[in-house]
């Protein structure tokens, strides 16, 4: 085909080495060729943004993980309030990343952080201490809130940042070329964080971008050009869950705080030994104002030994409750159950779980 301006001849060659003479094909099959061009253009304009431009694969390998899900999303509310991409409360003011949370047990076992696309490592930091920021204090990480982290530059003006990695786990160096799926490090608890998670941040020409929204700026609930690939978006790892269970189990004393519960301090698993107190505790993410918490400890004979029913007074990123009973007369050996329901008006039980334990 001749470019009239530059006088160049262009031929198209398939994988078998045959040249296609475009002018001859146009003359012989004008309708077919016109339809082919129209279909090609339609594909260009109607493919999702991830197929046309920058496409992101999963940033973590959560195979076999106890828990692996987004906890907080990009904040789309310009006011001091906050809203995630579906206008829900899973965010906080000015947050510009996506927090993918895992359990403490999974963190100890190791959950790999993966490059979401091909690119070049621009910066790395390792060696930062780990621990809940409420215990360490923000002053301990001044200027290093991302903790151990990796930044990767991609094509088209995009870059991604992977924050709060495990100390000593960063597996790449500045200037290194990486492919999508390349292991960058492990999910950790470094920087300004209160639980093990990966915060993945996306920037386009230095502007923060929500990968669930893409390069549109219509705010939550508006048009979207998702940057996640189709496979990643439909993975359970990235599925939007308004609320969910973080932990549930029996303890030999009331957990003093959410950290103690999640770290399983005083955890009794399977068989209780001979406890003086039996406590059933739960922690969930995303409880909303008006939700009703119902917890029970049920004895071997079906008798309710302890029960608690409270109403959530505000939206929270996470919250815990527990109920228990001291040992006394009538404490029978056998199988005890802990039952929990989080009930939401118009939705019924949004979280529920039953745990059991054998008491001698």
């Amino acid at each position: 085909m001749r470019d009239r301006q530059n006088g160049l001849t262009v031929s198209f060659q398939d994988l078998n080495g045959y040249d296609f003479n475009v002018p001859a094909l146009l003359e012989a099959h004008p309708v077919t060729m016109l339809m082919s061009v129209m279909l090609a253009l339609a594909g260009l304009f109607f493919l999702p943004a991830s197929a046309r431009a920058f496409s992101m694969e999963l940033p973590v390998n959560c195979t076999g993980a106890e828990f692996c899900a987004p906890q907080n999303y990009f904040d789309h509310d310009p006011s001091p309030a906050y809203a995630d991409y579906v206008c829900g409360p899973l965010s906080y003011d000015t947050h510009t990343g996506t927090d993918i949370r895992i359990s403490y047990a999974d963190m100890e076992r190791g959950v790999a952080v993966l490059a979401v696309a091909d690119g070049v490592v621009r910066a790395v930091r390792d060696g930062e201490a780990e621990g809940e920021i409420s215990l360490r204090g923000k002053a301990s990480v001044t200027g290093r809130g991302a903790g151990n982290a990796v930044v990767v530059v991609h094509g088209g003006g995009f870059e991604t940042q992977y924050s709060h990695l495990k100390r000593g786990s960063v597996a790449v160096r500045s200037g290194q070329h990486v492919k999508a799926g390349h292991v960058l490090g492990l999910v950790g608890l470094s920087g300004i964080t209160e639980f093990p998670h990966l915060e993945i941040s996306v920037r386009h020409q230095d502007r923060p971008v929500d990968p669930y929204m893409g390069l549109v700026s219509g705010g939550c609930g508006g048009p979207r050009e998702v940057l996640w690939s189709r496979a990643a978006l439909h993975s359970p790892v990235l599925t939007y869950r308004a609320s969910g269970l973080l932990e549930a189990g029996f303890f030999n004393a009331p957990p003093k705080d959410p950290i103690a519960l999640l770290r399983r301090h005083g955890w009794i698993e399977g068989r209780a030994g001979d406890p003086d107190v039996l406590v059933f505790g739960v922690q969930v993410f995303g409880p909303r104002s008006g939700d009703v918490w119902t917890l029970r400890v049920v004895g071997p004979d079906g008798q309710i030994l302890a029960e608690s029913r409270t109403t959530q007074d505000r939206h929270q990123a996470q919250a815990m409750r527990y109920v228990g009973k001291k040992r006394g007369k009538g404490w029978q050996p056998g199988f005890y159950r802990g039952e929990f329901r989080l009930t939401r008006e118009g939705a019924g039980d949004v979280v529920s779980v039953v745990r059991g334990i054998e008491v001698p």
Side-chain angles (χ1 to χ4, degrees):
M1 181 171 62
R2 180 166 294 277
D3 185 315
R4 293 182 180 177
Q5 290 183 340
N6 300 312
L8 300 178
T9 300
V10 181
S11 65
F12 296 85
Q13 193 171 53
D14 73 0
L15 294 177
N16 295 316
Y18 295 103
D19 286 329
F20 291 98
N21 188 314
V22 176
L25 287 172
L26 280 170
E27 184 176 351
H29 306 284
V31 176
T32 301
M33 289 297 293
L34 180 60
M35 290 180 63
S36 298
V37 171
M38 291 177 65
L39 287 172
L41 290 173
L44 176 63
F45 286 104
F46 291 102
L47 280 173
S50 59
R52 287 189 273 118
F54 179 58
S55 179
M56 297 171 55
E57 303 301 330
L58 283 176
V60 287
N61 181 357
C62 284
T63 303
E66 292 181 354
F67 180 87
C68 183
Q71 164 80 69
N72 294 308
Y73 296 86
F74 194 106
D75 177 24
H76 289 278
D77 190 329
S79 78
Y82 49 86
D84 58 40
Y85 73 97
V86 297
C87 300
L90 294 183
S91 188
Y92 56 87
D93 190 27
T94 71
H95 188 226
T96 57
T98 301
D99 296 343
I100 300 177
R101 182 173 187 160
I102 65 172
S103 71
Y104 282 90
D106 289 328
M107 181 181 69
E108 294 303 320
R109 284 189 289 268
V111 172
V113 174
L114 312 175
V116 297
D118 298 355
V120 178
V121 177
R122 179 173 68 79
V124 300
R125 180 168 61 216
D126 203 349
E128 293 293 315
E130 295 185 89
E132 295 83 357
I133 199 64
S134 61
L135 302 180
R136 295 187 292 136
K138 290 186 178 180
S140 66
V141 294
T142 301
R144 305 183 308 281
N148 304 309
V150 175
V151 178
V152 179
V153 177
H154 311 279
F158 285 93
E159 75 173 19
T160 51
Q161 180 169 319
Y162 310 77
S163 303
H164 312 302
L165 306 186
K166 181 181 285 190
R167 185 178 186 177
S169 75
V170 174
V172 291
R173 65 186 185 280
S174 295
Q176 181 175 342
H177 290 257
V178 296
K179 293 287 188 181
H182 190 107
V183 175
L184 305 177
L186 300 175
V187 178
L189 192 60
S190 61
I192 299 178
T193 179
E194 198 65 10
F195 50 82
H197 75 283
L198 165 71
E199 179 182 13
I200 178 163
S201 305
V202 183
R203 293 181 286 271
H204 181 255
Q205 297 177 351
D206 296 326
R207 182 176 67 88
V209 175
D210 182 354
Y212 288 88
M213 296 291 289
L215 301 179
V216 295
S217 56
C220 72
R224 293 195 287 154
E225 293 182 349
V226 180
L227 298 181
W228 299 112
S229 71
R230 186 180 300 274
L233 187 63
H234 289 85
S235 164
V237 173
L238 297 182
T239 298
Y240 186 92
R241 285 179 272 182
S243 304
L245 182 70
L246 292 172
E247 189 62 274
F250 283 98
F251 298 80
N252 59 16
K256 67 176 184 177
D257 54 37
I259 295 173
L261 191 152
L262 291 173
R263 284 190 176 272
R264 299 178 176 177
H265 294 167
W267 177 266
I268 308 172
E269 188 171 7
R271 188 172 179 83
D274 194 16
D276 294 328
V277 178
L278 192 62
V279 175
F280 176 59
V282 300
Q283 186 157 340
V284 304
F285 72 87
R288 298 186 178 183
S289 178
D291 287 353
V292 177
W293 298 65
T294 303
L295 290 88
R296 292 176 176 174
V297 175
V298 182
D301 59 357
Q303 180 182 357
I304 297 174
L305 302 177
E307 184 173 22
S308 170
R309 193 171 190 271
T310 59
T311 300
Q312 182 77 16
D313 62 356
R314 66 189 190 280
H315 295 342
Q316 282 186 280
Q318 60 179 348
M320 62 169 274
R321 298 285 191 280
Y322 61 82
V323 65
K325 183 176 178 62
K326 291 184 178 180
R327 186 165 188 171
K329 291 182 179 180
W331 187 281
Q332 302 176 18
F335 189 75
Y336 286 71
R337 297 195 320 275
E339 302 176 351
F340 165 65
R341 292 182 292 116
L342 185 70
T343 307
R344 184 167 297 159
E345 185 176 358
D349 292 347
V350 293
V351 184
S352 62
V353 68
V354 176
R355 292 284 189 264
I357 192 168
E358 191 73 27
V359 177

